[in-house]
């Protein structure tokens, strides 16, 4: 069982069912006092909340500031400079008191089209986690959450279905681990 699940599932409509699966699986993966932290897009926010709260209690919402520039939302006439971070818990969270604004210093898309920045994931982890705590990312992608977790002296486990992307994540995590984190 993990202290935290910190993840960034895909945002397109065809992947909405994964948020429900994530919430359901979090019951077996997450410690009783742990948190599920999920980045998501704006457009399907109401649907995501409805799907996830069938299985896990809503705790809070945070703002992930994307300081690398505004991104247009194709379905609406909006340029957004932040993403929702949904936070859920199984029971009474007793960890760190945390702020609800997280910052990404830059956009990183070199390794994967949906990649987040290490600085942004580090912002989340530093605010929520103590060194030595365990983090799971079941949508690991190129390993950004894992790199940030290791840099913050946390233990990390990632799951990725694409073999090529998983190999990229393994290589990044090995380099980070060798750098002393």
């Amino acid at each position: 069982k993990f202290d935290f699940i910190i993840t960034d599932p895909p945002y397109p409509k065809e992947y909405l069912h994964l948020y429900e699966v994530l919430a359901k699986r979090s019951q077996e993966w997450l410690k009783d006092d742990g948190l599920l932290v999920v980045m998501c897009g704006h457009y399907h926010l109401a649907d995501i909340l409805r799907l996830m709260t069938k299985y896990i209690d809503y705790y809070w919402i945070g703002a992930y500031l994307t300081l690398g520039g505004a991104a247009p939302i194709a379905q609406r006439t909006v340029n957004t400079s932040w993403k929702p971070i949904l936070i859920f818990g199984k029971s009474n969270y007793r960890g760190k008191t945390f702020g609800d604004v997280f910052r990404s210093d830059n956009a990183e898309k070199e390794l994967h089209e949906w990649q987040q920045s290490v600085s942004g994931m580090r912002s989340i982890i530093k605010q929520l986690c103590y060194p030595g705590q365990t983090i799971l990312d079941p949508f690991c992608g190129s390993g950004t959450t894992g790199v940030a977790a290791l840099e913050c002296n946390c233990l990390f486990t990632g799951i990725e279905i694409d073999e090529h992307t998983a190999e990229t994540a393994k290589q990044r995590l090995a380099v980070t681990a060798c750098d002393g984190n």
Side-chain angles (χ1 to χ4, degrees), residues 54-155:
K54 289 191 229 178
Y55 300 100
I56 192 163
D57 293 334
Y58 169 83
Y59 188 83
W60 202 252
I61 189 169
Y64 180 85
L65 303 181
T66 52
L67 302 178
I73 304 297
Q75 301 93 333
R76 302 278 194 241
T77 53
V78 176
N79 283 327
T80 182
S81 297
W82 73 283
K83 295 180 186 187
I85 300 278
L86 301 176
I87 303 171
F88 302 90
K90 285 175 64 175
S91 60
N92 295 329
Y93 171 72
R94 292 176 215 50
K96 278 181 159 181
T97 299
F98 59 89
D100 58 5
V101 176
F102 309 94
R103 288 179 174 75
S104 171
D105 295 334
N106 56 322
E108 293 179 22
K109 302 292 183 197
E110 298 83 22
L111 301 172
H112 194 280
E113 66 179 311
W114 296 335
Q115 181 180 347
Q116 299 301 328
S117 71
V118 173
S119 67
M121 299 315 284
R122 189 183 315 112
S123 175
I124 295 168
I125 292 167
K126 277 187 171 183
Q127 287 195 57
L128 293 171
C129 306
Y130 291 112
Q133 288 190 302
T134 55
I135 298 170
L136 169 66
D137 183 352
F139 298 93
C140 183
S142 61
T144 302
T145 302
V147 169
L150 294 177
E151 288 179 354
C152 294
N153 296 310
C154 290
L155 303 172

Side-chain angles (χ1 to χ4, degrees), residues 25-36:
R25 294 296 301 269
S26 71
Q27 295 302 310
E28 53 191 274
W29 291 338
L30 197 60
K31 291 181 180 178
D32 287 339
D33 61 347
L35 293 178
L36 168 58

